[in-house]
Amino acid sequence: MSTGRLLVNSGTFAAVTAHGDVHGTRGPATDGLFVRDARHLSRWLLTAGGAAPVPLTLLTSSDDGCVLTPAGTRDHPPAYTVFRRQAVAEGALTEHVRLVSNSGEPTVVELELHVDADFADQFELRADQRAYEKPGALRTARDTPDGVAFHYRRGETWSSRTTVAAAPPPHRTRPADGDGGGGDGGSGEGDGTARVLTWRFALPAHGTADLRLTALAVPHGTGEPSPPGSPGTVRKRLEADTGEFVGARPRPRDLTTWEDLGRACEQGLADLARLRVPTSGPGGEALRVPAAGIPWFLSLFGRDSLLTSLFALPYRPGLAADTLLALAAVQGTRDDPARLEQPGRIVHEVRHGELAHFRQVPYGRYYGSVDATPLFLVLLEAHATATGDTGLAGRLEPQARAAVEWMFRDGGLGGHGYLRYTSDGAGGGLVNQNWKDSADAIRFSGGARAEGALAVCEVQGYAYDALVRTARLARTVWGDPRWAADLEEAASDLRDRFRRDFWMPGHSFPALALDGEGRQVDTLASDAGHLLWSGILAPEEERAVGLRLLRPDFFSGFGIRTLASGQVPYHPLSYHRGSIWPHDNAVIVLGLARCGLTEQARAVAHGLVLAAAGHGWRLPEVMAGYGRDEHPDPVPYPHSSSPQAWAAATPLALLTALREAGAASGRSLSAEPPR
């Protein structure tokens, strides 16, 4: 994404340069205004006096404004200054431009705004350079009294709009000159839709003039959003909403004497507040759920939203309630192989864009996740236990029963099996469907890819935990002790088989997976740490795994690597074969604390807090796998999402783990561990 600024609010975000422009770029530096998976502004370039003004200050995290001037010298300083403020609201970008004369003489300033909307789907803009046919697609632009209206239509079933309005209205609107200017593969001008809006402001001596701009996005199937008001008004509303979420009790900073952990928790809560997106529940009720992350994943994601809500559960239980209801509303109801839907299965992701609408990508409602379904059951019981309120669990009993049935009928647990998945790569979906979902994530220690119907180790732990927890609900909430006993028997059987089939005695460590022929995928991977949390291992096995994860080939000093270094598949800059994922570590720390490995939990938590400090207290989605012995600061992963939901919630999970471990040991572990 752009190295400038991300403005985020209610499922809408704008990626702009540090002085507020949009160039229409693609790939890692993609910019624009995005709503419901589409780019609704691909050009937003402000010029003054025929040239781009020079920034004196840039957009920062503390204020969505910058200060610009035309070029000048010491002897001929700029005649005026441009103060620019921007904000996004749901479906809208709002901007206030103020011109301030620096001269004792009247000054005429010509401002121009180059605007365009290419309506590109996010899947088109990513760095994989895929191209998609769009038969019957037509983009148009129509001048209006106060700006321009862009319209995109494809056939009879798809229509989107963006309107740009200005006060005062532009003195002139003209088509762009056709000079290209599309940045790195941007939409380009001269294609019939790009426009240039022009104003001439007569500034009196030391006087001012104001220009207010609004871009309203109307994605397919939605109504026109309400005018957002000024950037200052939007900012106040957003700050109030964020402040209410961050400042609600319990406040994590009041629960720890470790100041740095408290700072990371507050930043995480602030990011979670802005990552909430609107959706609806089974009865059409309005909900706000944590989206996975920005830029590519500002939508409901089963696994991501569930784990994020689980980490935040002791502090913000409303996230869990909304996530469970939202996922229940889109739970699978039929067999649809094109998007891997099956009755009872919990969705992997929900998309609203053009390519999903026309089934050119399978992700409109895509069910290619092997672990979202058991995690749904885990969170349902955890919410009831944490809040003491069983009303939600009672309401969602039918969905829970359907989820359990899916695990046995379609997931693979039936007949004393395991939860498995097969590649969906041929259908345009995911090759791997556990959390390590990149195509090359599951490899043998010698480097060969695992093939066939894969049973990944951490997923079996989730399934075990889901059965145990659902049995508890069946007995205490749903009044079905017979079913509870059946679930407990199935959980015990799964635990026994797992320890027999996955444990590698030579390594005192579980295999990453079983391949389609039942062979152990013998790579040493962080997935094993999730088993400490789910409780599927025996105590002596838990201790062996926990201690092994803290050896230097796994633990970098900032976190536990996804693969232990020194193995053939290891690569510190790969997505899942040696990088460091904060959320992965959060699950492991919760597991270490659960198993009584308190010093190990403290060590990993300390490394993650150091990493947060190195990223301005915002943990990224993923970091490079280099250790503190190689570089004193955490090394960024080049394609990391930030902010990202389960990374934002990671400090909350660390706080929970340290508090629970301290309670078990009778001493406080929430003070900063020794360096």
Side-chain angles (χ1 to χ4, degrees):
M1 187 48 73
S2 167
T3 57
R5 275 285 286 159
L6 283 173
L7 311 175
V8 189
N9 193 349
S10 301
T12 298
F13 78 95
V16 299
T17 67
H19 48 278
D21 285 340
V22 171
H23 292 271
T25 56
R26 294 172 177 258
T30 295
D31 60 0
L33 174 68
F34 291 86
V35 188
R36 291 174 70 88
D37 304 317
R39 181 159 67 180
H40 279 262
L41 280 180
S42 55
R43 184 67 52 86
W44 191 263
L45 301 176
L46 185 69
T47 64
V54 178
L56 299 181
T57 70
L58 301 177
L59 291 166
T60 68
S61 59
S62 60
D63 185 20
D64 298 327
C66 59
V67 183
L68 313 161
T69 67
T73 66
R74 184 169 56 183
D75 295 328
H76 299 282
Y80 57 90
T81 301
V82 182
F83 292 82
R84 193 174 190 186
R85 295 197 70 189
Q86 295 173 322
V88 295
E90 186 172 355
L93 170 70
T94 178
E95 177 163 348
H96 177 200
V97 180
R98 168 159 286 188
L99 298 173
V100 176
S101 171
N102 302 322
S103 172
E105 302 292 333
T107 303
V108 175
V109 180
E110 182 174 274
L111 284 185
E112 288 190 335
L113 183 70
H114 297 236
V115 294
D116 199 6
D118 65 2
F119 300 98
D121 191 287
Q122 281 195 335
F123 285 95
E124 296 178 84
L125 298 174
R126 295 167 72 166
D128 52 17
Q129 303 298 320
R130 296 184 191 179
Y132 297 90
E133 295 291 330
K134 293 188 172 186
L138 177 65
R139 287 200 296 130
T140 59
R142 176 177 56 85
D143 297 343
T144 64
D146 59 356
V148 60
F150 300 99
H151 190 196
Y152 176 69
R153 182 179 298 279
R154 181 172 168 189
E156 299 300 321
T157 63
W158 186 265
S159 177
S160 298
R161 291 185 288 121
T162 302
T163 59
V164 176
H171 294 102
R172 184 165 66 108
T173 301
R174 61 176 173 83
D177 294 333
D179 59 352
D184 298 329
S187 61
E189 295 181 345
D191 54 13
T193 60
R195 291 292 188 269
V196 180
L197 312 182
T198 304
W199 296 263
R200 288 178 62 84
F201 291 100
L203 295 180
H206 298 300
T208 64
D210 294 280
L211 172 62
R212 300 184 184 275
L213 302 164
T214 303
L216 295 180
V218 187
H220 178 77
T222 67
E224 189 155 346
S226 301
S230 69
T233 299
V234 172
R235 183 178 180 83
K236 286 180 181 178
R237 288 199 303 262
L238 181 58
E239 286 178 343
D241 183 54
T242 301
E244 181 181 2
F245 184 82
V246 174
R249 296 183 185 277
R251 296 181 299 185
R253 70 169 182 264
D254 296 337
L255 303 176
T256 178
T257 57
W258 184 2
E259 183 179 348
D260 287 355
L261 177 57
R263 291 182 68 177
C265 286
E266 287 213 338
Q267 180 62 58
L269 284 174
D271 288 335
L272 289 176
R274 297 197 180 195
L275 284 170
R276 290 175 297 171
V277 297
T279 187
S280 57
E285 61 270 47
L287 307 170
R288 298 172 77 187
V289 299
I294 296 173
W296 306 120
F297 308 109
L298 195 63
S299 188
L300 174 66
F301 273 68
R303 177 193 306 121
D304 300 58
S305 299
L306 286 162
L307 283 175
T308 297
S309 300
L310 189 69
F311 293 168
L313 179 58
Y315 315 100
R316 300 296 180 269
L319 289 181
D322 279 15
T323 293
L324 288 164
L325 287 167
L327 291 173
V330 292
Q331 186 176 26
T333 58
R334 61 195 178 98
D335 286 296
D336 183 350
R339 55 188 187 182
L340 303 189
E341 180 181 1
Q342 293 163 331
R345 194 173 195 177
I346 297 299
V347 76
H348 172 62
E349 66 180 282
V350 178
R351 295 289 189 172
H352 304 284
E354 171 192 358
L355 297 180
H357 173 83
F358 286 101
R359 295 279 186 123
Q360 292 175 276
V361 297
Y363 303 113
R365 281 190 190 176
Y366 182 62
Y367 292 81
S369 166
V370 71
D371 50 10
T373 306
L375 287 171
F376 175 85
L377 296 166
V378 168
L379 182 61
L380 184 63
E381 190 278 337
H383 177 269
T385 298
T387 64
D389 182 357
T390 60
L392 183 62
R395 177 182 175 184
L396 297 183
E397 179 185 356
Q399 288 86 351
R401 288 181 178 271
V404 171
E405 186 175 352
W406 175 84
M407 289 201 300
F408 284 94
R409 183 191 62 245
D410 298 309
L413 278 188
H416 305 287
Y418 295 110
L419 283 185
R420 292 181 178 269
Y421 64 85
T422 56
S423 170
D424 191 34
L430 295 170
V431 173
N432 287 306
Q433 293 159 35
N434 64 323
W435 85 260
K436 292 180 176 176
D437 59 4
S438 55
D440 62 353
I442 311 301
R443 291 176 177 257
F444 288 88
S445 63
R449 288 190 184 185
E451 303 288 346
L454 302 184
V456 183
C457 72
E458 81 275 7
V459 175
Q460 316 316 316
Y462 301 160
Y464 169 80
D465 198 17
L467 294 173
V468 170
R469 290 174 183 264
T470 306
R472 196 174 300 143
L473 290 177
R475 181 169 282 111
T476 62
V477 179
W478 302 329
D480 193 342
R482 179 176 297 179
W483 192 43
D486 290 343
L487 293 173
E488 289 165 344
E489 182 180 354
S492 177
D493 174 67
L494 175 60
R495 190 171 190 255
D496 291 342
R497 289 186 290 107
F498 178 85
R499 293 167 56 206
R500 177 194 70 210
D501 295 340
F502 278 79
W503 191 254
M504 300 186 294
H507 293 286
S508 295
F509 205 79
L512 169 58
L514 302 181
D515 74 358
E517 297 180 5
R519 296 177 299 181
Q520 292 181 340
V521 181
D522 58 345
T523 312
L524 303 185
S526 65
D527 307 55
H530 293 219
L531 305 174
L532 308 181
W533 173 60
S534 62
I536 198 171
L537 297 176
E540 64 274 13
E541 295 165 343
E542 292 174 340
R543 181 170 180 80
V545 170
L547 295 177
R548 181 67 183 84
L549 289 169
L550 268 293
R551 290 188 192 175
D553 57 348
F554 262 123
F555 184 52
S556 74
F558 297 114
I560 293 169
R561 300 177 177 96
T562 44
L563 289 187
S565 62
Q567 302 176 97
V568 172
Y570 172 76
H571 191 308
L573 289 175
S574 70
Y575 203 44
H576 292 122
R577 292 184 289 107
S579 56
I580 299 164
W581 286 67
H583 94 277
D584 181 34
N585 279 256
V587 176
I588 294 171
V589 172
L590 287 168
L592 290 168
R594 175 194 161 274
C595 297
L597 296 169
T598 56
E599 294 308 313
Q600 289 75 17
R602 279 158 51 103
V604 179
H606 184 235
L608 289 167
V609 172
L610 284 177
H615 287 88
W617 305 107
R618 171 183 287 162
L619 280 168
E621 171 192 26
V622 55
M623 300 175 285
Y626 300 110
R628 288 177 65 189
D629 57 337
E630 297 172 281
H631 192 72
D633 299 312
V635 177
Y637 177 80
H639 308 293
S640 178
S641 294
S642 185
Q644 200 255 9
W646 56 17
T650 286
L652 303 175
L654 302 182
L655 177 59
T656 299
L658 295 180
R659 293 182 68 221
E660 290 180 350
S665 64
R667 60 194 180 97
S668 174
L669 297 180
S670 59
E672 183 176 1
R675 296 181 183 272

